[in-house]
Amino acid sequence: MLFRDKSALCYAKVANVFMQNAKEFNFKPMIHQDYILAKELRAFGVHLNSKQAIAIKRAKELGLFVVISTHTKDEIKDAIKEGADAVTFSPIFTTPNKGKPKGVKALKEVVDEFGKKIKIIALGGIVTNEHIKEIELAKAWGFASIRYFK
């Protein structure tokens, strides 16, 4: 479970409330982008954006499970080299303001090429049960979505 709130004025305070609730339900909570805050709040891990590859090693040194957003094979290669535990690969399906979707075929290609080295999480435009079935067939490690759970 990931805490991500780009509009929170008191991000650390709201993240702390999230952490308390997540732990009550025995989730493995993660914090978006801020690996130092993730460590301070004793989160399971951090989800870094695609521009934060340099932070992978620092987050791993703090004992965090590290997921980083990727959009290309080169970004996945960099994530592996830096020691990330997992990547999100996106966008798989059409999603607002995220560019042309990669599609399930591209997801399957990256899973086939990199799936033994790193966990691949499908992201982007996942809004139906059919989307999830397609992701399962591609053998992704999992999926992440906001709109599917609304």
Side-chain angles (χ1 to χ4, degrees):
M1 177 170 277
L2 174 68
F3 175 73
R4 177 183 175 208
D5 185 344
K6 293 182 178 184
S7 64
L9 298 177
C10 301
Y11 189 83
K13 186 175 181 178
V14 178
N16 188 41
V17 171
F18 165 83
M19 288 294 299
Q20 299 313 311
N21 288 316
K23 287 179 180 178
E24 277 185 41
F25 293 99
N26 204 28
F27 290 130
K28 293 181 177 178
M30 299 181 67
I31 301 294
H32 188 247
Q33 294 185 327
D34 192 336
Y35 64 92
I36 294 171
L37 178 63
K39 179 63 176 178
E40 287 173 5
L41 295 179
R42 297 186 187 138
F44 172 72
V46 64
H47 179 215
L48 303 172
N49 70 39
S50 61
K51 307 269 191 269
Q52 290 183 289
I54 195 166
I56 294 171
K57 285 184 180 174
R58 293 181 196 143
K60 290 303 296 174
E61 288 168 359
L62 294 175
L64 297 168
F65 184 88
V66 177
V67 180
I68 187 163
S69 294
T70 64
H71 309 93
T72 66
K73 288 183 178 184
D74 285 341
E75 288 177 343
I76 295 172
K77 288 176 189 174
D78 289 344
I80 292 167
K81 186 176 89 176
E82 295 299 318
D85 298 292
V87 298
T88 58
F89 182 67
S90 70
I92 303 305
F93 302 103
T94 301
T95 191
N97 305 314
K98 298 297 181 182
K100 183 180 177 189
K102 308 273 186 236
V104 177
K105 182 179 177 190
L107 173 64
K108 181 158 179 30
E109 287 174 8
V110 299
V111 169
D112 289 348
E113 186 171 346
F114 303 108
K116 290 189 180 3
K117 297 175 186 171
I118 196 163
K119 294 167 178 61
I120 311 286
I121 302 166
L123 177 66
I126 301 162
V127 295
T128 68
N129 290 337
E130 183 59 38
H131 288 155
I132 294 169
K133 287 176 188 170
E134 291 182 61
I135 290 164
E136 287 175 348
L137 290 173
K139 304 211 184 296
W141 187 67
F143 77 96
S145 180
I146 294 172
R147 292 181 296 148
Y148 178 80
F149 295 104
K150 284 188 174 183

